[in-house]
Structure formats: structure tokens, C-alpha cells
Amino acid sequence: MTGRFAQLAFTQDVQRHQREHGSDRAYRRMMEGPGDPDRIGEDERAFIETRESFYLASVGQTGWPYIQHRGGPPGFLKVLDEQTIGFADFRGNRQYITVGNLDHDERVSLFLMDYAHQARMKILGRARVEEGDSPPAVADYRAKVERTVLITVEAFDWNCHQHIPQLFPPPGGGGCAHLDAGTHRAAGAGTARGPRLSVETTPTTAEPLLIEPDRRTS
């Protein structure tokens, strides 16, 4: 965790809980660094620009947090410079909750996952919206770009891999299979709105198996 992330995340209430549970001494040093925004390095750039999806959190006028999934081809989330990232916001269900929340509060949190390598990255920043197509759009992707969202990065944090399920996309895409060697179970129930994911492993299998999605619906 960077010092800037700790400064933003470790509020007085958070620090009180850390003291009560004995973790304050380890985290206290993280807050002693400079208060300058974090700068995106080459490792962060490589991770960010290979994501096919991420989660974006904002806060509305009611004070309730809202989290939304954003997806596209690898590279749709771009690093524009060492403190700015941006993405093409493709047309979805046209509820515009995130866009409306940004009119109220520009602060956002991004959650980026790499399930195959059990890695995750969190980003805190300030977002602004530019309507219409612009450079972060991805060529040859069949989706309408309604706007571009640009985010000035304030801080980021790499998390440990603890408790992250290891998932791999099956060949050709179309979903992820849950990898649980030694267990026979279904990773998804399957509905009219999504594929059923079947997982098949053998009790003696040392390596997880990649399973094609069962596209039947219930």
C-alpha cells in the first residue's frame, strides 16, 4: 500500500479499529510519507491496460455508494500519462447512475481484478466526463461510445492474492470457469440472462481444468 492511499483510506475511525485489533503499529508508518498523488509506473500500466473489465464505485446525492461494472476489449482502459487513466464508456442500459453521481461528487474508486493470476489493484481518483468519442475509444469494437471518462489518479494499492478464486476464461472466451481441483460442482446455475458454467474436475487432478461454458438456459 502506498503512503498516499493510506492517508486517504485510514480515517480516524479506521485507525481506532486498527488500534483495537492490534494492526495500527504496522500501518502507522504508511501514513508518514508525503501527501503527493501516486504516479503510475510501468507495472501498473501493464496491469491496467490488459484488463477487460473493472468495477467503478461512486457516491450519489443520497449518500449511498454505487458500484458498476465496466467492460470492453483489452486496452479499452488506457493509461494516458502517469497520473491519468481513461476509458471509453460504451452504451449500456442507459440508467446513467454513475454519470449522475459524478455531477455530485467527482471522487471514484476502481477495483481491477486478474483472477487467473489472483491479483487485484485498487485506484482512488477524481473523474470527469467528456461526451462523445475520443482517443480512449477502441477501434474495431462493435459498441457505441457515448462518452469518455477521464480519471486523475490520487492513489493506488496492490492487494495480496488471499481469498481470490482462481478463474480462467475458456478458449474462445464466453465466460470463466471456477477452478476447484478435487471437487465436482457447478459454478453457475444458468438463467435466461446468462450461460451455465459447468466445472468438472477429478479427485486426483493436480492442475485445474478449463471448462467450456454450457450455453443452455434453464
Side-chain angles (χ1 to χ4, degrees):
M1 178 178 289
T2 66
R4 184 55 180 159
F5 198 98
Q7 291 164 8
L8 296 175
F10 295 165
T11 63
Q12 292 298 319
D13 287 338
V14 171
Q15 292 178 57
R16 176 172 55 83
H17 283 282
Q18 291 174 350
R19 288 192 298 272
E20 291 175 354
H21 294 279
S23 63
D24 60 309
R25 185 174 302 176
Y27 287 121
R28 192 182 307 143
R29 294 190 299 272
M30 294 181 179
M31 302 181 62
E32 297 173 353
D36 299 329
D38 290 336
R39 296 183 180 275
I40 298 171
E42 290 305 312
D43 289 342
E44 289 77 32
R45 176 189 289 271
F47 187 81
I48 290 169
E49 293 192 337
T50 52
R51 296 307 95 215
E52 295 177 296
S53 69
F54 64 93
Y55 302 96
L56 174 66
S58 58
V59 178
Q61 289 173 287
T62 59
W64 286 95
Y66 178 75
I67 189 165
Q68 194 162 40
H69 173 266
R70 284 290 183 264
F76 88 105
L77 178 62
K78 298 181 180 297
V79 175
L80 304 179
D81 59 49
E82 60 185 5
Q83 285 189 279
T84 310
I85 61 177
F87 65 93
D89 193 17
F90 303 115
R91 174 169 288 179
N93 56 21
R94 305 179 75 179
Q95 293 180 350
Y96 304 114
I97 298 175
T98 297
V99 176
N101 286 351
L102 294 180
D103 290 341
H104 162 70
D105 191 331
E106 64 182 356
R107 292 173 296 178
V108 294
S109 179
L110 283 71
F111 203 93
L112 284 62
M113 295 294 303
D114 180 347
Y115 288 103
H117 297 94
Q118 295 175 295
R120 53 187 169 183
M121 181 183 183
K122 296 180 290 190
I123 299 174
L124 300 177
R126 301 179 185 275
R128 64 186 187 275
V129 173
E130 294 184 0
E131 294 293 336
D133 200 349
S134 67
V138 179
D140 302 324
Y141 185 64
R142 298 183 62 183
K144 178 176 176 56
V145 178
E146 287 196 325
R147 66 192 57 80
T148 295
V149 179
L150 301 175
I151 300 168
T152 301
V153 174
E154 187 70 28
F156 61 80
D157 177 36
W158 290 96
N159 277 122
C160 70
H161 66 275
Q162 190 173 208
H163 308 306
I164 300 177
Q166 192 171 31
L167 308 175
F168 288 94
C176 288
H178 189 292
L179 307 180
D180 190 7
T183 304
H184 299 266
R185 65 188 184 87
T191 68
R193 302 178 68 87
R196 182 191 307 273
L197 301 182
S198 299
V199 174
E200 299 173 359
T201 59
T202 63
T204 58
T205 298
E207 296 294 329
L209 302 179
L210 303 182
I211 306 300
E212 292 282 3
D214 181 349
R215 300 190 180 277
R216 296 172 297 178
T217 58
S218 57

